[in-house]
Amino acid sequence: CTNLVNYGSFEGIKVFLNQENPLPNDPPDIWYSRPTNIATVNLNNELFGINNLKIDSTGMVYQNLSIETGKSYKIAGWDKTPSDSVGYISLSSIDCPNFKVFTDRTSTNNAWIYINKTFFNTCSSNSAEIRLEAIIDTPSVYFDNIQLFEV
């Protein structure tokens, strides 16, 4: 199966820009943040590769992608969250405001855990946004090896 998420392990030269929307010359298929300046690519080889994503305050990091109507998909990844914060992966479409899928919201006590959710795409639009979301009271929430694939 093919991972529809680009740079899900945050490896590469330019995989994340700390701005809310792509500018005309920015790559459309990398990660962006809402609000700005909440996250960084973190040099840390605890899990997969040498990088993961660190979110330091409440908000989200997102990537635009395409999925097909009438197909089943799985969103998945790894999350490390302090006990008083929450992290999760979601997927939604601007064109279908009632369509939103969430993994479980986790507080992992600073241990890495695998989170996932399988869903059927009922939205009539192929345009989607995958989000790494964090609700933070104290230290950072981390994500790594983010995936979206057809099942």
Side-chain angles (χ1 to χ4, degrees), residues 76-141:
W78 291 81
D79 171 38
K80 183 172 98 170
T81 308
S83 60
D84 52 357
S85 296
V86 174
Y88 57 97
I89 305 169
S90 69
L91 188 127
S92 64
S93 173
I94 294 169
D95 299 326
C96 300
N98 295 326
F99 178 76
K100 190 163 186 181
V101 178
F102 299 90
T103 62
D104 289 338
R105 296 172 185 222
T106 60
S107 293
T108 71
N109 204 23
N110 281 324
W112 284 103
I113 66 161
Y114 178 74
I115 55 178
N116 68 89
K117 178 77 171 184
T118 301
F119 67 95
F120 183 77
N121 183 20
T122 58
C123 179
S124 59
S125 171
N126 291 344
S127 175
E129 184 176 89
I130 190 165
R131 300 173 178 170
L132 310 178
E133 301 196 48
I135 302 168
I136 297 178
D137 288 327
T138 57
S140 310
V141 172

Side-chain angles (χ1 to χ4, degrees), residues 64-78:
N64 293 314
L65 43 78
S66 295
I67 58 175
E68 293 182 43
T69 303
K71 293 197 173 185
S72 293
Y73 293 90
K74 184 177 197 174
I75 52 174
W78 291 81

